């Protein structure tokens, strides 16, 4: 029986692409680097902010310029991370219905905790645990964030789903021993996910809710 769901954030609960692109391009302009398109940002995200910036700067960028770009990104994103960012359709209702059904919820994300925690506290106050990357939590697909969330919730890995939208989430679920549900409204296409060997998908939040609720009733 499942009684817990651990969610990814970007591309799963929140559409954050435009605000990430604006912050990246603020950093690129500040370093006199070429700006990046929304499609490029979509391909670059998934492994945390530092990797995002590493992928966005030109090849052979010096460490000094990379660090400058990273600092500029953080400076801008802290103040502008909710300009375009919104929950995907049906997410608020999904979280509300899971809470009513007694399902415990957490968010484990590669978004840095300086952004993840305030965003989630404002947009998803019913979610019990939010874990972003920090000096003590390394990025996914390392399972440490998932294990920390399970410990706080008092749940076993056999009782939990991991819900995400990317190949990073698939590897995270595998590494942590959780059953995976991949959503198709996020930052990766079905074709991209299928190339990684995934075969279990949901296309909307109603379908996701049905899978979770039905699993919670099984003994």
């Amino acid at each position: 029986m499942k009684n817990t769901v651990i969610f990814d954030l970007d591309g799963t609960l929140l559409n954050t692409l435009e605000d990430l692109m604006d912050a990246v391009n603020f950093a690129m302009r500040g370093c006199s680097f070429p700006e990046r398109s929304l499609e490029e940002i979509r391909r670059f995200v998934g492994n945390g902010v530092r990797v995002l910036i590493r992928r966005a700067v030109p090849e052979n960028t010096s460490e000094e310029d990379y660090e400058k770009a990273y600092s500029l990104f953080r400076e801008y994103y802290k103040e502008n991370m909710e300009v375009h960012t919104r929950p995907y359709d049906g997410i608020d209702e999904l979280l509300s219905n899971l809470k009513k059904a007694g399902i415990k919820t957490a968010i484990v994300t590669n978004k840095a905790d300086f952004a993840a925690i305030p965003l989630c506290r404002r947009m998803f106050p019913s979610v019990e645990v939010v874990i972003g990357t920090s000096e003590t939590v390394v990025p996914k697909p390392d399972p440490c964030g998932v294990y920390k969330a399970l410990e706080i919730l008092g749940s076993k890995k056999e009782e939990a789903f991991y819900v995400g939208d990317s190949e990073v989430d698939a590897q995270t679920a595998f590494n942590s021993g959780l059953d995976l549900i991949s959503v198709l409204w996020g930052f990766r296409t079905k074709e991209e996910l299928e190339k990684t060997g995934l075969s279990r998908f949901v296309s909307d939040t109603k379908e996701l809710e049905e899978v979770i609720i039905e699993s919670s009733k099984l003994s």
Side-chain angles (χ1 to χ4, degrees):
M1 183 178 73
K2 303 292 187 184
N3 59 24
T4 302
V5 182
I6 298 179
F7 291 95
D8 171 52
L9 183 60
D10 295 47
T12 300
L13 298 179
L14 289 179
N15 187 345
T16 55
L17 272 187
E18 286 190 65
D19 286 335
L20 289 170
M21 180 184 70
D22 289 346
V24 166
N25 286 334
F26 176 83
M28 296 303 100
R29 290 191 299 272
C31 295
S32 299
F33 293 154
E35 294 188 24
R36 294 296 191 167
S37 68
L38 195 65
E39 174 60 20
E40 287 175 312
I41 299 301
R42 183 188 71 81
R43 291 188 283 107
F44 292 165
V45 297
N47 295 91
V49 173
R50 282 202 168 272
V51 175
L52 169 61
I53 300 303
R54 182 70 70 185
R55 291 169 175 166
V57 299
E59 288 187 34
N60 302 317
T61 294
S62 69
E63 282 302 305
E64 181 180 359
D65 284 343
Y66 163 76
E67 290 294 340
K68 178 182 177 182
Y70 173 71
S71 295
L72 287 171
F73 173 93
R74 282 179 58 104
E75 169 192 326
Y76 184 92
Y77 195 64
K78 278 183 179 180
E79 302 300 323
N80 298 278
M81 59 185 171
E82 294 184 61
V83 177
H84 303 289
T85 290
R86 298 290 185 274
Y88 286 100
D89 290 345
I91 291 297
D92 289 335
E93 183 179 3
L94 168 67
L95 294 176
S96 175
N97 289 343
L98 293 181
K99 186 176 181 65
K100 290 175 184 176
I103 304 294
K104 294 180 280 188
T105 55
I107 294 169
V108 177
T109 173
N110 276 349
K111 186 180 284 300
D113 60 0
F114 78 81
I117 291 174
L119 271 175
C120 293
R121 289 298 177 234
R122 285 193 288 272
M123 295 193 176
F124 308 124
S126 68
V127 174
E128 298 162 71
V129 177
V130 178
I131 297 174
T133 58
S134 66
E135 292 183 0
T136 59
V137 179
V138 298
K140 302 178 297 183
D142 188 288
C144 73
V146 171
Y147 292 155
K148 183 176 181 180
L150 290 174
E151 181 181 1
I152 294 170
L153 292 172
S155 299
K156 300 175 182 179
K157 60 184 179 181
E158 296 83 7
E159 300 171 331
F161 281 118
Y162 190 90
V163 178
D165 72 303
S166 74
E167 67 286 352
V168 176
D169 296 315
Q171 191 62 48
T172 302
F174 176 80
N175 290 346
S176 54
L178 270 63
D179 288 341
L180 172 71
I181 304 174
S182 295
V183 305
L184 295 178
W185 56 76
F187 297 167
R188 301 291 188 268
T189 65
K190 184 177 182 180
E191 291 71 26
E192 288 171 324
L193 293 173
E194 285 177 330
K195 287 178 182 178
T196 68
L198 299 181
S199 59
R200 185 181 193 181
F201 307 106
V202 293
S203 57
D204 58 46
T205 55
K206 279 297 182 185
E207 186 179 359
L208 176 58
E209 181 182 328
E210 289 172 5
V211 171
I212 296 169
I213 297 297
E214 283 303 311
S215 295
S216 74
K217 296 175 182 177
L218 298 176
S219 58

